[in-house]
Amino acid sequence: MDIRKEYLEFFKSKGHEVIASSALVPDDATLLFTNAGMVPFKSIFTGDVPRPTPPIRTSCQTCIRAGGKHNDLDNVGYTARHHTFFEMLGNFSFGEYFKTEAIAYAWEFVTEVLKLPKDRLYVTVHENDDEAYEIWQKYIQKERIYKFGDKDNFWAMGDTGPCGPCSEIFYDQGAEHFNSDEDYMGGDGDRFLEIWNLVFMQFERSSDGTMTPLPKPSIDTGMGLERVTAIKEGKFSNYDSSLFMPLINEVAKIANLTYEYESGASFRVISDHIRSVVFLLAQGVNFDKEGRGYVLRRILRRALRHGYLLGIKEPFMYKLVDKVVELMGGHYEYLNEKKEYVKELIKLEEERFLATIAAGLDLFNEELAKTKDIFSGEIAFKLYDTYGFPLDLTADMLREKGLNVDAAKFDALMNEQKARAKASWKGSGDAAKESGDFKVLLEKFGENEF
Ligand code: SER
């Protein structure tokens, strides 16, 4: 089943205009990356841009959740569901329909197109949303509707922007396969899987926290393609699905190892990270010392370190590009044109980091042997400054040992270095860094992101 196609066609048949995925770097200085399907439509929700005709749309949006407010980077590889790059299927109403229709469409798609069994479905609503609670009872027994507070059932794009209460659809993967204490609705276990978030957009939050009602109540929904694909294929992890296994198999071939789920975190990290890297490079972001390019560098270097753990000590990520393009170039055609360029950039960046990784790992291991509870911030800074190890890479290596890094000391050394650089700075002529956009980013994400 081509879920992407089925989804877009379903909403097209309901009068929605199908919109192509917009860029991963949004036209929005408050965000590092497009992190949800609604991002390109933010100004329509807020009324800053007039409503389009028809005022209802659908899309399959590529998203990145790394380095910003919604940051999943650290979890990738260790959970069944987290990704830095993923595709979000969504339908959007700009003041046209609201809860009744959004819920009706979602139920129809899930039960009649995806054909998920009804006795596996659960939903959640915001604890104060009696209206959604009532509407859902037309489709599903009361016992299967859970009420949660803001933490679970209020969605916001960032600290500012459109937001509202939400209602989520969950799929029960079966008690027989799960046995964690957290495997209950609302728990952290994997048994109950959130597949679709319906956001009832009603407010715009400003930077001082004020909530202003939107011109008209609107709808923003988001369904994770990777999750639904895994469910339809009967897999308990997104990484076991046909979206990732071909990449994992490719890594296994390069490493000359057999992939096993239990010990396979490094394979999963690599198969996730290569997708972010390929899409970002194909869209014109490049490796850099700061900003988005630094997040890209962090992603690639994290993958390289995991390659190293698998015994791969030579550039290899570039060899995975063909597979990503084979899997995704049918829907995202620009990948085909950019393939060779992307490979070249990745290979160069791999060579750059691999030149220092061995010495960096030696230093890391030496310090590790001396570490009782907190890893030295000085050494973490030296790893960053001399060997090109981003702080979160060092933190990731320590996490495997159950240790933390002295991030405060690292930050202090980083700030000192910046102050020194500033004192000797005579003006770079780099207008971009002095622009309003950069300042907004700096205020929003802090120095460390840049
Ligand atoms: N914006 C919501 C989310 O990302 C629904 O699309 O979950």
Side-chain angles (χ1 to χ4, degrees), residues 165-273:
C166 61
S167 177
E168 298 183 320
I169 302 178
F170 280 73
Y171 182 76
D172 178 3
Q173 301 187 88
E176 64 278 24
H177 305 291
F178 296 86
N179 58 8
S180 137
D181 293 346
E182 287 291 322
D183 281 322
Y184 55 89
M185 274 291 293
D188 283 335
D190 280 332
R191 175 178 159 193
F192 294 93
L193 180 62
E194 180 224 321
I195 55 169
W196 202 345
N197 187 11
L198 316 181
V199 185
F200 309 129
M201 289 288 191
Q202 283 165 72
F203 310 102
E204 179 177 6
R205 185 156 56 191
S206 56
S207 46
D208 64 5
T210 318
M211 305 274 255
T212 315
L214 292 181
K216 289 183 177 184
S218 294
I219 291 294
D220 149 36
T221 86
M223 176 192 265
L225 177 69
E226 292 76 7
R227 293 179 177 205
V228 180
T229 303
I231 289 176
K232 282 302 288 177
E233 294 179 358
K235 307 292 185 197
F236 298 118
S237 161
N238 295 1
Y239 290 95
D240 285 342
S241 77
S242 58
L243 299 177
F244 289 94
M245 274 319 288
L247 288 166
I248 289 177
N249 288 335
E250 208 60 24
V251 180
K253 221 190 287 168
I254 296 170
N256 201 14
L257 291 173
T258 309
Y259 170 69
E260 274 164 31
Y261 197 85
E262 291 305 313
S263 57
S266 292
F267 292 82
R268 293 191 288 277
V269 168
I270 294 166
S271 72
D272 170 273
H273 289 12

Side-chain angles (χ1 to χ4, degrees), residues 76-111:
V76 170
Y78 304 105
T79 72
R81 309 287 163 203
H82 286 100
H83 302 294
T84 54
F85 172 95
F86 64 97
E87 294 174 81
M88 188 179 274
L89 299 161
N91 54 294
F92 309 92
S93 152
F94 311 111
E96 188 70 3
Y97 61 75
F98 200 42
K99 296 179 189 177
T100 307
E101 297 84 347
I103 290 174
Y105 289 152
W107 189 253
E108 184 181 338
F109 185 77
V110 165
T111 58

Side-chain angles (χ1 to χ4, degrees), residues 142-375:
K142 228 179 178 159
E143 299 69 47
R144 288 174 174 265
I145 310 174
Y146 286 68
K147 293 184 179 183
F148 292 123
D150 284 354
K151 188 176 135 306
D152 296 291
N153 282 82
F154 193 92
W155 197 86
M157 178 190 92
D159 295 332
T160 62
C163 53
C166 61
S167 177
E168 298 183 320
I169 302 178
F170 280 73
Y171 182 76
D172 178 3
Q173 301 187 88
E176 64 278 24
H177 305 291
F178 296 86
N179 58 8
S180 137
D181 293 346
E182 287 291 322
D183 281 322
Y184 55 89
M185 274 291 293
D188 283 335
D190 280 332
R191 175 178 159 193
F192 294 93
L193 180 62
E194 180 224 321
I195 55 169
W196 202 345
N197 187 11
L198 316 181
V199 185
F200 309 129
M201 289 288 191
Q202 283 165 72
F203 310 102
E204 179 177 6
R205 185 156 56 191
S206 56
S207 46
D208 64 5
T210 318
M211 305 274 255
T212 315
L214 292 181
K216 289 183 177 184
S218 294
I219 291 294
D220 149 36
T221 86
M223 176 192 265
L225 177 69
E226 292 76 7
R227 293 179 177 205
V228 180
T229 303
I231 289 176
K232 282 302 288 177
E233 294 179 358
K235 307 292 185 197
F236 298 118
S237 161
N238 295 1
Y239 290 95
D240 285 342
S241 77
S242 58
L243 299 177
F244 289 94
M245 274 319 288
L247 288 166
I248 289 177
N249 288 335
E250 208 60 24
V251 180
K253 221 190 287 168
I254 296 170
N256 201 14
L257 291 173
T258 309
Y259 170 69
E260 274 164 31
Y261 197 85
E262 291 305 313
S263 57
S266 292
F267 292 82
R268 293 191 288 277
V269 168
I270 294 166
S271 72
D272 170 273
H273 289 12
I274 188 63
R275 303 194 330 154
S276 281
V277 170
V278 169
F279 273 83
L280 282 171
L281 290 170
Q283 291 193 15
V285 178
N286 205 342
F287 301 105
D288 202 348
K289 289 203 270 305
E290 57 196 13
R292 295 173 173 118
Y294 191 55
V295 179
L296 170 61
R297 173 165 282 166
R298 281 157 54 191
I299 294 173
L300 184 78
R301 293 189 174 187
R302 189 167 184 259
L304 285 180
R305 210 274 301 185
H306 280 279
Y308 218 78
L309 286 179
L310 298 178
I312 315 174
K313 307 211 161 150
E314 285 177 358
F316 72 99
M317 290 287 279
Y318 77 98
K319 296 183 189 162
L320 300 171
V321 175
D322 283 338
K323 196 48 97 185
V324 175
V325 178
E326 185 189 314
L327 291 167
M328 306 187 77
H331 193 71
Y332 302 102
E333 284 172 12
Y334 59 90
L335 295 181
N336 299 288
E337 290 154 36
K338 300 281 183 183
K339 195 163 85 170
E340 296 310 319
Y341 161 80
V342 166
K343 274 189 213 170
E344 227 164 274
L345 291 178
I346 295 179
K347 189 154 181 268
L348 278 174
E349 176 69 9
E350 293 196 76
E351 282 162 358
R352 213 173 286 148
F353 187 50
L354 288 171
T356 59
I357 192 172
L361 288 172
D362 285 348
L363 175 63
F364 174 84
N365 287 326
E366 236 170 71
E367 185 59 27
L368 187 66
K370 293 186 227 156
T371 303
K372 289 208 179 60
D373 15 72
I374 305 280
F375 189 87

